[in-house]
Amino acid sequence: MRLCGGAPDEGPFALVEKRANAQRLFALDPAALAQGLTPGLSLSDARARLPSLLVAPADPAADRALLLRLAARCERYTPLAALDEPHGLVLDIAGCAHLFGGEEAMRARVIADFRAWGLTAQAAVAPSPDCARALARFSAGGTFTDQAEGAVARLPLAALEADEEIHFALGRAGFKTLGDLAARPTRVFAARFGNEFPFRLERLFGRADHRITPLRPPPDRMVERHFLEPFSQREAVESVIDDLLHDVALLLEQRGEGGRRFELSFFRADGHVRRLDIETLRPTRDEKFLARLFREKLDSLADPLDPGFGFDALRLAVPRAETCDAHQESFDGAARNDNERELSELLDRLTTRFGRARVLRFMREDAHEPERESRAVPASAPPSTWPAPVPGEPPARPLTLFDPPQPVEVVALAPDGPPARFRWRRKIHDVLRAEGPERIAPDWRLHGLEAPERDYYRVEDAEGRRFWLFRHGLYERGEAAPRWFLHGLFA
Amino acid sequence: MSRVKTLAGLRLVLARIAIRHGLGAPDREQAFALGASEVDHVLGGGLNRAALHEIHAPWADWSAAAGFCLALARRAAPERPLLWARPDFLDDEAGRLNGVGLAEFGVDPALLSLVRGRDAQAVLRAGMEAARCKSLGAALIEIVGTPHVLKNLTATLRLARAAEKSGVTLFLLRVGLEDAQTGPPPSAAASRWQARACLSRALSANAPGAPGFEITLLRHRGLTAERSWRLEWLRDQGLFHQIPEPDDAALPRSLPALPADGAVAPLRRRAG
């Protein structure tokens, strides 16, 4: 498939690049080509011949970005879409063509879609990627399923896309088409041009195949629906989602699996693709629950689903699945299992609505710095075990921690004693009870050996509010006056 | 449409009557005691498990009130999963929840799920989802001030109904109400409390003791006048205990000077 497009309508147009200290033509539109200009010509020569030529600098990065976007759009036809650089795309349509009414109908549909997106495309359907590329680039295109070899044989030598010397040598020898080459024994070419050459021919004729590397790994579990008439109503979208979930549930059941991640792709008629992801804590194929999650997701989108002129295809893939047994494990375990399932479904719903970063659980870290001992992580993380508090002791760590610790002004009766009074957020607190210091050294791997230690105090003010304060640095080291911080609040 | 509205209106009226007359009183099975006998007696045995309870606190006592809620949640649903829904910005105002601190307070962090909401609406929504989930023991919903959705009875009524149906104990922790000119906002909560920190009973060397709370029961079925108590939370036993009135009230006093040798005690409880 070959693409060119985006040129202005006004007249001959060219993209130029700087090569060997000169501006040279890089790509030309049909009008410029018709005037006899060719890529590689210097811009001054081209201007001399055609003063009305419009030019713009070539931007290979933008070309590639466009190509990537187009490849994503092409995932509506097949999940196996890859770049065929520099200017093409290759789609593996094995097993997909029937969804579009056969190969030729599919090719026509692709070309029509590209035209609708403002691009001119040339496309060929052939048994192998190289064969399709050659036919798309060097013939008028078409569907070549059985007669591919004959069609390739009629292609000019340029379809080899080999080095210039090879083309030159072959032209001198009087070869005109690929068919001329194929009629000769391959060892002749191998001897002259290297062993690669015969392989190249084999591939062009579709006798040797090679797999394309799709942009995104194709999911094993995938169902999709295509529609002749684009639709946009929310109810219609939901009913299609229900259908897809039903299909995917059957698929997962056959495989004895449950999904952990579900990806729904909405293909808009104008080429735009939107993807929605949901994740679950446990493997599931419960279509009702999943339908509820997707509804939740649709309702909570910050950037709502925009149907434009309607969707013409929806695809549901399950990129992550695990084995999942339909049967209850044991009779007495059933109730507990139900409870766990219900809770994980609650967390799934909340995660779908609020996002992974907002539905959290606590994870214990192997660190002795208070701020790193506990971390709030997405609910899908495994549970941690927590140390039991020392019996008979009041809580040694506060309920909350400030990040970063808040600076406070402190009056202490002794230089290395507990605070007697402190000011936090413009309010003075008189300390009535205090315990400490508990010395906590910073992690030298993070802060270096010179980082000052912290002396922590648990204090209670006259109103019974309990605080965790620390003194940063020590007097006896002869440093500047130590600073005080409030690190947390006790219940 | 109008019929639906009428029905909803009637339900509201009914609910108000039910609240006023204490209908749908809890049976003994459904109630949980705090452990402090005087409080439990006034509560008629304890608080209803399948209900919404509201705890008010001034800003400065936020952490004490949160502790009181957590302790109540532990009493209501020991060893069962908890959900805590809090608005984002509280992390800056009151600090981030600390897993180790929760464990030290007597709540297993492994049983706690935390939902951070962008605003009060999101927090209430998460709370509503939690209220419907039977496998949850209790849920704690933190609200600052009186957001628009809580200006009338509808939201709390929905929460209360969901709790009644699912058996999840709901605690609505409300801070920052002190600025309100109009008195407490309407609520369908089964009980309403005011919680503040109070001075703990000192351990040796004047170290702060078990967390103390000064709580006021503002509203409860059959309550005629507000009642206040000073309770401490005994984590190891998992119950509240009334702090005996001290003979000589603790008064601010200056701290005795420390030995000036600069030595650092290996263990805590040295200060003062």
Side-chain angles (χ1 to χ4, degrees):
Chain A
M1 188 181 302
R2 204 161 66 88
L3 305 168
C4 58
D9 299 329
E10 295 93 71
F13 173 75
L15 293 175
V16 295
E17 61 169 350
K18 197 162 181 182
R19 191 142 45 96
N21 270 333
Q23 297 275 29
R24 289 182 183 276
L25 303 189
F26 176 73
L28 299 158
D29 77 341
L33 283 169
Q35 296 288 334
L37 302 185
T38 50
L41 200 67
S42 78
L43 179 58
S44 43
D45 285 354
R47 277 262 160 78
R49 283 199 229 166
L50 194 63
S52 66
L53 184 68
L54 296 167
V55 295
D59 184 351
D63 286 348
R64 196 182 144 83
L66 173 71
L67 208 54
L68 279 170
R69 273 212 313 282
L70 289 173
R73 285 184 172 195
C74 284
E75 284 179 29
R76 69 180 50 222
Y77 313 118
T78 164
L80 298 170
L83 302 189
D84 181 36
E85 289 185 285
H87 298 129
L89 296 171
V90 51
L91 311 178
D92 186 340
I93 59 166
C96 301
H98 69 275
L99 295 169
F100 299 88
E103 279 123 0
E104 180 52 32
M106 186 174 187
R107 191 183 80 94
R109 164 79 185 273
V110 171
I111 291 174
D113 284 349
F114 271 69
R115 191 175 302 128
W117 303 337
L119 296 161
T120 311
Q122 218 166 312
V125 180
S128 81
D130 293 84
C131 188
R133 175 187 163 105
L135 286 166
R137 288 172 68 92
F138 298 95
S139 81
T143 299
F144 309 89
T145 37
D146 309 322
Q147 349 73 340
E149 287 202 23
V152 173
R154 284 191 296 278
L155 290 180
L157 285 184
L160 270 176
E161 296 183 82
D163 293 342
E164 225 160 285
E165 310 99 76
I166 298 181
H167 282 290
F168 186 70
L170 290 171
R172 285 263 300 258
F175 294 108
K176 288 202 166 50
T177 64
L178 294 183
D180 295 344
L181 298 178
R184 295 297 178 106
T186 53
R187 58 188 157 77
V188 180
F189 299 114
R192 175 76 171 77
F193 303 117
N195 279 329
E196 282 298 303
F197 194 86
F199 281 125
R200 176 93 190 109
L201 272 184
E202 289 277 289
R203 277 162 57 162
L204 280 175
F205 278 94
R207 290 174 203 139
D209 200 355
H210 79 278
R211 314 282 326 159
I212 63 168
T213 311
L215 282 181
R216 303 189 316 137
D220 294 344
R221 313 152 198 89
M222 189 190 88
V223 292
E224 57 191 29
R225 288 271 195 290
H226 293 265
F227 303 93
L228 290 174
E229 283 296 319
F231 59 94
S232 55
Q233 298 86 351
R234 170 76 188 254
E235 302 80 61
V237 169
E238 284 184 4
S239 90
V240 174
I241 294 176
D242 288 348
D243 285 356
L244 290 171
L245 285 170
H246 180 71
D247 292 359
V248 99
L250 287 178
L251 188 73
L252 288 170
E253 193 174 354
Q254 282 162 14
R255 301 170 64 111
E257 290 177 332
R260 291 284 311 274
R261 202 157 86 79
F262 296 82
E263 186 193 76
L264 190 57
S265 307
F266 295 83
F267 296 99
R268 231 159 68 173
D270 62 2
H272 184 87
V273 190
R274 177 79 187 264
R275 293 201 172 83
L276 298 184
D277 248 3
I278 56 168
E279 283 183 52
T280 58
L281 293 175
R282 296 155 62 103
T284 181
R285 51 175 183 256
D286 178 346
E287 43 186 297
K288 287 216 176 63
F289 169 63
L290 290 168
R292 209 174 144 188
L293 284 190
F294 271 117
R295 278 191 185 118
E296 191 90 18
K297 186 85 183 180
L298 286 172
D299 286 336
S300 63
L301 290 175
D303 163 25
L305 193 66
D306 175 12
F309 294 106
F311 301 111
D312 58 2
L314 260 69
R315 173 183 298 143
L316 178 65
V318 190
R320 197 168 149 215
E322 287 166 13
T323 48
C324 154
D325 205 349
H327 308 290
Q328 291 289 359
E329 289 129 24
S330 64
F331 189 71
D332 54 327
R336 215 181 116 238
N337 218 24
D338 267 1
N339 264 340
E340 277 175 18
R341 202 200 61 231
E342 209 188 347
L343 184 63
S344 72
E345 287 184 355
L346 168 71
L347 296 176
D348 287 340
R349 276 202 303 281
L350 293 170
T351 305
T352 305
R353 171 155 287 268
F354 298 116
R356 275 165 59 81
R358 291 180 173 277
V359 183
L360 309 164
R361 78 183 318 161
F362 292 96
M363 192 165 87
R364 193 172 161 221
E365 298 266 307
D366 186 20
H368 64 275
E369 285 178 313
E371 57 267 50
R372 297 200 302 125
E373 269 179 311
S374 155
R375 215 151 54 88
V377 294
S380 51
S384 307
T385 50
W386 298 80
V390 180
E393 288 289 316
R397 289 287 179 272
L399 195 59
T400 62
L401 288 176
F402 287 101
D403 177 30
Q406 311 226 322
V408 287
E409 292 165 44
V410 165
V411 178
L413 295 181
D416 58 350
R421 170 180 280 193
F422 67 95
R423 191 213 299 266
W424 177 53
R425 288 183 177 164
R426 297 202 301 272
K427 195 176 176 315
I428 306 259
H429 298 266
D430 283 311
V431 174
L432 237 64
R433 310 200 195 300
E435 180 186 59
E438 179 187 355
R439 180 159 295 180
I440 299 178
D443 192 332
W444 58 269
R445 286 167 300 183
L446 296 176
H447 305 286
L449 288 165
E450 293 303 309
E453 283 134 338
R454 296 170 175 186
D455 279 344
Y456 277 92
Y457 290 90
R458 224 157 53 75
V459 307
E460 198 172 60
D461 74 1
E463 277 142 309
R465 292 167 191 144
R466 290 163 281 271
F467 305 89
W468 209 35
L469 300 165
F470 69 85
R471 183 180 50 225
H472 205 228
L474 302 167
Y475 276 109
E476 60 254 44
R477 288 212 182 144
E479 288 154 7
R483 289 177 303 151
W484 285 86
F485 293 90
L486 189 150
H487 202 168
L489 303 175
F490 287 94
Chain B
M1 192 62 202
S2 68
R3 211 173 132 232
V4 177
K5 263 191 182 156
T6 322
L7 262 180
L10 282 172
R11 285 208 184 96
L12 269 173
V13 172
L14 271 176
R16 285 204 182 100
I17 295 170
I19 292 163
R20 202 171 308 138
H21 294 276
L23 296 176
D27 55 66
R28 307 289 292 182
E29 288 281 291
Q30 276 297 320
F32 67 94
L34 271 63
S37 50
E38 210 180 297
V39 186
D40 291 332
H41 178 72
V42 170
L43 291 173
L47 287 171
N48 196 344
R49 225 178 225 113
L52 169 71
H53 303 283
E54 205 169 289
I55 290 94
H56 294 191
W59 259 117
D61 288 298
W62 171 86
S63 63
F68 179 59
C69 285
L70 271 180
L72 284 180
R74 262 311 51 146
R75 292 291 303 165
E79 310 298 319
R80 298 204 45 206
L82 299 178
L83 185 133
W84 189 329
R86 74 180 330 207
D88 271 344
F89 67 93
L90 262 183
D91 282 7
D92 295 328
E93 293 293 327
R96 288 184 190 168
L97 291 177
N98 174 23
V100 187
L102 286 160
E104 286 279 339
F105 190 76
V107 174
D108 183 0
L111 288 173
L112 181 68
S113 305
L114 172 67
V115 180
R116 299 173 71 232
R118 193 169 278 116
D119 49 26
Q121 189 112 34
V123 169
L124 279 170
R125 201 189 156 99
M128 194 64 212
E129 289 273 354
R132 293 202 192 99
C133 181
K134 285 196 283 293
S135 48
L136 214 55
L140 211 158
I141 305 162
E142 278 179 292
I143 298 289
V144 176
T146 306
H148 190 70
V149 279
L150 287 180
K151 288 241 157 71
N152 59 39
L153 204 56
T154 318
T156 49
L157 195 60
R158 283 177 67 206
L159 285 171
R161 280 187 184 287
E164 205 176 301
K165 227 171 128 189
S166 65
V168 179
T169 320
L170 296 181
F171 299 99
L172 190 59
L173 172 55
R174 306 192 59 176
V175 288
L177 289 174
E178 53 260 44
D179 304 333
Q181 306 282 315
T182 51
S187 164
S191 75
R192 180 183 277 174
W193 304 79
Q194 166 93 20
R196 288 170 177 278
C198 89
L199 211 55
S200 64
R201 286 199 291 162
L203 304 172
S204 62
N206 200 32
F213 307 104
E214 187 184 316
I215 53 160
T216 306
L217 183 58
L218 301 172
R219 191 170 77 187
H220 189 253
R221 159 179 47 86
L223 187 78
T224 46
E226 289 181 10
R227 294 288 304 271
S228 287
W229 297 275
R230 287 172 1 118
L231 304 181
E232 58 186 359
W233 169 242
L234 304 178
R235 176 199 58 213
D236 300 333
Q237 290 93 315
L239 50 80
F240 286 101
H241 175 253
Q242 195 165 350
I243 301 180
E245 287 307 317
D247 302 332
D248 53 332
L251 288 169
R253 58 189 167 76
S254 66
L255 294 157
L258 280 172
D261 58 0
V264 175
L267 268 169
R268 300 193 304 271
R269 194 151 308 156
R270 197 203 56 150

